Amino acid sequence: MQLFYTEELLEDSTQCELAENEVHHVANVLRLGVGEAITLTNGKGLLGKGSIVVATKKRVTIALQKVLKTPQPAYHNLSLAVGLLKNRDRMEWLAEKATEVGIGKLIWMHTSRSERGKVRLDRMEGVVTAAMKQSLQMWKPAVELAGFHAIMDGAAAGNQQIIMAHEKATESIDLSVDQTAKPTLLLVGPEGGFTPEEVENVVKVGGKSLLISRNRLRTETAALTLLQYYHLRLFSGNSSPDKLMDYFM
């Protein structure tokens, strides 16, 4: 099963063009030709089914037979904010894996102890888009870059529950199904961790801390562990979760 991405797909679309990078994959790598079936998403919940009517090395046009609107997944109101890392490969690895597991927004976070430097959000968008397609999702996570205090202000204004991974946490958190239905912000600090002032700031806005391992974890490992903890809680009380593959039948 192959899923392709195009921003052109709309609910009333009858035909659409693939972007240049997707054209290369369809025409030059997979060597798909006229008449072959193809499945598309716009990353905003739409799933299009159609067939190729034009296939050249520079252009692929799809005639659509059906466009479906899929519901937002239960984790779409989940944001993961992670301290910036020095190693960009590790950041891209986390972006890929977090997307595959399921997330609504990934925020790369400037903190007092995080690495300084530029983050190529366009490259991150590419990683997230590829992971969305690979995991057969129709909702693409947003990718942002923001400072710690701006993130805290936004979480407070948006009435998000905040869960921070912290090595000195003593309180256990029982994320019930009702709690996972709330807009949630997961926080993971950089390699040096959060400063005491940042931890205090999280507590002041109603955030809670969670000890996710007895071992010392790398930032990207901690982020994925916390994310998976949330997902296990999210689906623990759901006896009939969305059957993603039903949309591809």
Side-chain angles (χ1 to χ4, degrees):
M1 170 66 68
Q2 290 275 350
L3 181 64
F4 298 93
Y5 173 73
T6 176
E7 294 179 348
E8 286 193 9
L9 183 63
L10 303 173
E11 286 191 72
D12 59 354
S13 294
T14 58
Q15 185 171 291
C16 63
E17 304 280 337
L18 292 186
E20 183 178 351
N21 60 328
E22 292 285 56
V23 168
H24 172 73
H25 189 58
V26 169
N28 303 324
V29 178
L30 298 176
R31 297 185 181 277
L32 300 180
V34 172
E36 297 199 62
I38 197 165
T39 306
L40 311 165
T41 184
N42 66 347
K44 298 177 181 178
L46 293 184
L47 179 70
K49 299 180 180 182
S51 58
I52 299 173
V53 292
V54 176
T56 69
K57 290 185 177 181
K58 295 185 177 181
R59 180 186 175 196
V60 173
T61 305
I62 312 300
L64 294 161
Q65 283 85 49
K66 184 186 296 184
V67 178
L68 304 173
K69 177 72 172 179
T70 65
Q72 284 188 348
Y75 51 78
H76 195 70
N77 61 2
L78 172 65
S79 299
L80 174 65
V82 184
L84 285 170
L85 303 176
K86 183 177 182 179
N87 189 316
R88 294 304 185 247
D89 288 341
R90 286 163 56 194
M91 290 177 62
E92 291 181 7
W93 179 89
L94 176 58
E96 177 185 75
K97 301 310 173 188
T99 300
E100 290 176 5
V101 172
I103 194 172
K105 182 186 295 185
L106 175 61
I107 308 171
W108 293 111
M109 177 172 54
H110 286 294
T111 71
S112 297
R113 294 174 177 169
S114 65
E115 293 291 336
R116 298 296 180 236
K118 295 182 179 179
V119 178
R120 287 189 55 186
L121 290 181
D122 59 334
R123 185 176 175 90
M124 285 290 174
E125 285 282 352
V127 171
V128 165
T129 300
M132 174 195 67
K133 295 189 299 178
Q134 190 278 330
S135 53
L136 300 180
Q137 298 183 63
M138 276 67 76
W139 292 87
K140 186 174 75 167
V143 183
E144 298 179 359
L145 176 66
F148 172 82
H149 293 291
I151 293 171
M152 289 298 97
D153 291 343
N159 197 29
Q160 287 180 298
Q161 64 174 345
I162 303 172
I163 301 173
M164 172 181 59
H166 197 265
E167 69 276 8
K168 294 182 179 179
T170 57
E171 181 181 359
S172 62
I173 299 175
D174 181 17
L175 272 179
S176 67
V177 175
D178 287 341
Q179 286 174 305
T180 54
K182 299 177 182 177
T184 301
L185 173 65
L186 304 180
L187 285 175
V188 178
E191 295 295 355
F194 290 113
T195 64
E197 292 76 18
E198 288 168 340
V199 173
E200 183 179 353
N201 192 304
V202 172
V203 173
K204 280 184 178 179
V205 297
K208 295 183 178 181
S209 59
L210 176 67
L211 180 65
I212 57 175
S213 176
R214 297 295 178 184
N215 303 328
R216 184 172 64 180
L217 305 179
R218 288 184 179 272
T219 295
E220 68 273 23
T221 308
L224 199 60
T225 301
L226 181 58
L227 178 59
Q228 191 59 59
Y229 174 86
Y230 175 93
H231 271 267
L232 288 172
R233 292 294 186 178
L234 177 64
F235 290 110
S236 63
N238 190 349
S239 59
S240 57
D242 293 339
K243 295 180 180 179
L244 184 63
M245 292 304 296
D246 287 351
Y247 294 110
F248 294 90
M249 302 299 288

